[in-house]
Structure formats: structure tokens, C-alpha cells
Amino acid sequence: MRSLSKLPELYGTWAVVTGASSGIGASFSTYLASLGFSVVLIARRIEKMEAVTAKIRASYPDVSVKVLGIDLSSSTAMQDMALGVESLDIGLVVNNAGVDLVGNFLKFEQAEHDQVMDLNVKAYTHVTHFFGRHMATRSLPKRGGMIMISSMGSSPFPYCSSYSSSKAYVTTLGLCLAEEWKPLNIDVTVIEPGPVETEMLDRSKNYVNVKELGFILMGADEIAQFSMKAFARSEKRFTPGAMNRVMQFVTNLLPGQMKISMIGNMLTKHIKAERIQYRPQTSSEY
Ligand SMILES: NC(=O)c1ccc[n+]([C@@H]2O[C@H](COP(=O)([O-])OP(=O)(O)OC[C@H]3O[C@@H](n4cnc5c(N)ncnc54)[C@H](OP(=O)(O)O)[C@@H]3O)[C@@H](O)[C@H]2O)c1
């Protein structure tokens, strides 16, 4: 395993974290700073990122921090990001910003499913492409690194249908690029966390309590630390947490459809009761 403290030497000192205003992204930002990386924080809520910045500056005064308030799913996002990082030689990217949608697929409007696809798929691809091109043009011996935050839900997860599908995309994209970018000296690690105590989980708690499903919740700091260790070990795909890996191993032994039905049955027993009046969409709404 490569030493964590040597990573800034290998990849260069600037790292980018998307979705850095809370949860896993905020933890990655602080942990990267502790390893000696200067960090660009990207998300929409500037005041939250200022708080992360203050924490980093107080503990690691030698690193630099830059905050970019960008809505990654907006049409100008990539231009804004290019402008914000123009003078910086970015060597490591934590592609993390994401939204979930937990509940019956039909309960949500199409615009809500669009939000998932716009951020988790489209913006995700654009961020990967933008920094991939940048890192591919750097001169050796500097390597490039991309950490792609997917989810254990990248396997079909009923009642999180569009989110789960978007994470399947992230995992597949990351695993393809891990191979494709070998000659470019860009290292890719796909991270597939189970449930993590963040704002995302908090938002879905009215619908499903993941503790009742038998998951052990992890903290965002643990995810950042275990993920960076997996990246340093050059793992291509990693699920933080021994219990999550056991669960993944056991359920992967089941035939595909049986695993999906098992998750679906488990969720139907635990989801909070909801009675939905489906409102038929009229042609004028399309
Ligand atoms: N929590 C879990 O159980 C869990 C499990 C597996 C995987 N994950 C993945 O981990 C990643 C981080 O999630 P989290 O759990 O840390 O949740 P979180 O606390 O809600 O963080 C999501 C981050 O994404 C940012 N974001 C959302 N929409 C954005 C947009 N349009 N433009 C720019 N940034 C945006 C948010 O910042 P702003 O609101 O300030 O923009 C926030 O910083 C996600 O990709 C998620 O799918 C989470």
C-alpha cells in the first residue's frame, strides 16, 4: 500500500471535492487537508463550505482552501467550475455530489427523477470528463486520481429505483475508466458505501429507517478515511465497513432476481405506510 502521506507528492497538492458542504464530502475535504492536500470545495451552500474551511484552517494552517458555490446540475456549471479552478493543477478529484430519491417510483414527479439524473449521471459525467482531460495532459511523474462515490445501492434496490439506477451508472463508469485510464496514469477507485449518517439519510428517515433493515450505520469521517486507504491500496471497487462487505458477499451468492425480491420484500415490511393518490398527468404538463 502506498503511504497516505505520500499521496500529495504523487498526485500534486490540489484536490477537488464535489458535494463538500456536508456529509461524506465535508469529511473527505477535512481528511484530505490532514494528508497535506489543498482543497477546492464545490457545492451550492457557501456558508456550509465556509464552516468546513474554518475547521480545516484551524487544524491545518499550511493547506489552502478554495470555495466554489456552484449548482452542478445547472447549464453553466462546467464553465463556472473551469473558471474557478483555472490556475490550479488539480491532481485528485472526489466525485461525490449526489441526491437520492427514496420511495415508490410513481410517487415522484418526472422533474424529481430528472434531478437525480441531472446530478448523479449527467453532472457526474461532466465532472469526470473535465478533470479526466486535465489530468491526462499533465506531465509525468505526476499521476491523476479520481474517487467516484457510488453506493451499495448500485445493485438493483427497489424503492430507490432511479437513485439505484444512477449509482449503477456511476459504478460502471468508474470501473470502465479505471481500465481505460491505466495508460494515462490516472487511478480510479469506485466507493460503494452502505448507509451513512448524513443529511441524505436524515431526509429519507420519514420513509424508511435503515437501522430496522439490519444495516449498521457508518459515520462520514470513517467513509473518507477507509476510502482514502482503499485508494492508496489501488483498489478499483471498495465498500467501506466489514459488515457491509459480508452482507454484499452473502447477497451476491443469491441468484440475481432472488436478491432483488429479498430487498424488495424487506423494504415493503419496513417502509412507512403511505397511500398515494396518483395524479394522472395531462398532455399540457409534458
Ligand atoms: N448517506 C448515505 O447513506 C450514502 C450511502 C451511499 C452513498 N452515498 C453517496 O454519498 C454522496 C454524498 O452524500 P451524503 O450522504 O454525504 O449526503 P449529503 O450530506 O446530502 O451531501 C450531498 C452533497 O451534495 C451536494 N449537492 C447536492 N446537490 C448539488 C448540486 N446540484 N450541485 C452541487 N452540489 C450538490 C450537497 O451540497 P449543497 O446542498 O450545498 O449543494 C452536499 O454537499 C452521494 O453521492 C450519495 O449518493 C450516501
Side-chain angles (χ1 to χ4, degrees):
M1 171 170 147
R2 300 169 299 173
S3 148
L4 285 167
S5 59
K6 292 268 185 246
L7 294 181
E9 243 172 70
L10 276 173
Y11 293 91
T13 49
W14 276 98
V16 164
V17 181
T18 68
S21 59
S22 61
I24 295 171
S27 291
F28 258 104
S29 306
T30 313
Y31 189 58
L32 287 173
S34 79
L35 299 178
F37 283 100
S38 289
V39 238
V40 182
L41 313 184
I42 301 178
R44 292 166 303 180
R45 291 169 298 172
I46 291 176
E47 68 294 349
K48 285 254 186 191
M49 290 189 283
E50 298 291 5
V52 177
T53 304
K55 192 176 159 194
I56 292 174
R57 291 209 172 115
S59 304
Y60 313 105
D62 293 340
V63 306
S64 303
V65 188
K66 186 166 184 176
V67 167
L68 299 179
I70 298 174
D71 178 348
L72 285 170
S73 49
S74 72
S75 57
T76 59
M78 291 305 117
Q79 280 155 287
D80 298 341
M81 199 175 71
L83 202 63
V85 299
E86 205 165 36
S87 57
L88 307 175
D89 183 21
I90 305 295
L92 182 67
V93 175
V94 181
N95 206 346
N96 164 75
V99 280
D100 69 344
L101 215 45
V102 180
N104 192 311
F105 180 80
L106 294 178
K107 178 176 86 161
F108 300 107
E109 298 303 327
Q110 290 179 3
E112 294 175 284
H113 290 296
D114 280 350
Q115 281 174 1
V116 174
M117 292 185 283
D118 285 348
L119 184 64
N120 298 10
V121 176
K122 197 169 163 193
Y124 211 94
T125 308
H126 289 174
V127 169
T128 306
H129 184 264
F130 176 84
F131 286 111
R133 276 198 171 173
H134 168 77
M135 292 189 287
T137 56
R138 297 165 95 215
S139 48
L140 284 170
K142 274 187 193 159
R143 304 190 67 82
M146 182 89 60
I147 296 173
M148 319 272 275
I149 306 299
S150 180
S151 165
M152 272 175 86
S154 66
S155 307
F157 220 94
Y159 300 99
C160 303
S161 305
S162 55
Y163 174 74
S164 175
S165 306
S166 75
K167 290 301 179 178
Y169 176 84
V170 169
T171 292
T172 302
L173 180 70
L175 294 177
C176 291
L177 295 179
E179 200 54 37
E180 197 175 316
W181 284 356
K182 272 184 192 166
L184 305 177
N185 297 307
I186 304 174
D187 305 313
V188 180
T189 299
V190 175
I191 303 294
E192 299 191 312
V196 188
E197 290 200 78
T198 65
E199 291 178 14
M200 181 176 277
L201 209 66
D202 210 41
R203 280 192 297 270
S204 63
K205 74 171 184 244
N206 288 333
Y207 191 78
V208 62
N209 180 343
V210 289
K211 278 186 191 159
E212 288 173 8
L213 298 178
F215 282 103
I216 294 174
L217 299 196
M218 293 184 71
D221 289 349
E222 284 180 287
I223 300 295
Q225 289 169 26
F226 292 153
S227 301
M228 284 311 296
K229 285 181 185 156
F231 177 72
R233 290 194 301 273
S234 303
E235 294 212 22
K236 302 290 172 246
R237 184 178 192 175
F238 179 71
T239 294
M243 280 312 289
N244 287 333
R245 288 195 292 278
V246 169
M247 194 181 275
Q248 230 171 11
F249 177 78
V250 173
T251 53
N252 282 344
L253 295 175
L254 299 171
Q257 191 53 46
M258 194 186 280
K259 176 178 165 185
I260 302 167
S261 300
M262 194 190 80
I263 298 169
N265 287 337
M266 203 163 69
L267 276 159
T268 41
K269 280 192 204 120
H270 287 277
I271 50 177
K272 310 277 182 239
E274 60 169 7
R275 294 281 175 270
I276 307 155
Q277 291 295 317
Y278 297 118
R279 185 176 58 83
Q281 254 154 331
T282 62
S283 58
S284 63
E285 289 175 294
Y286 286 96

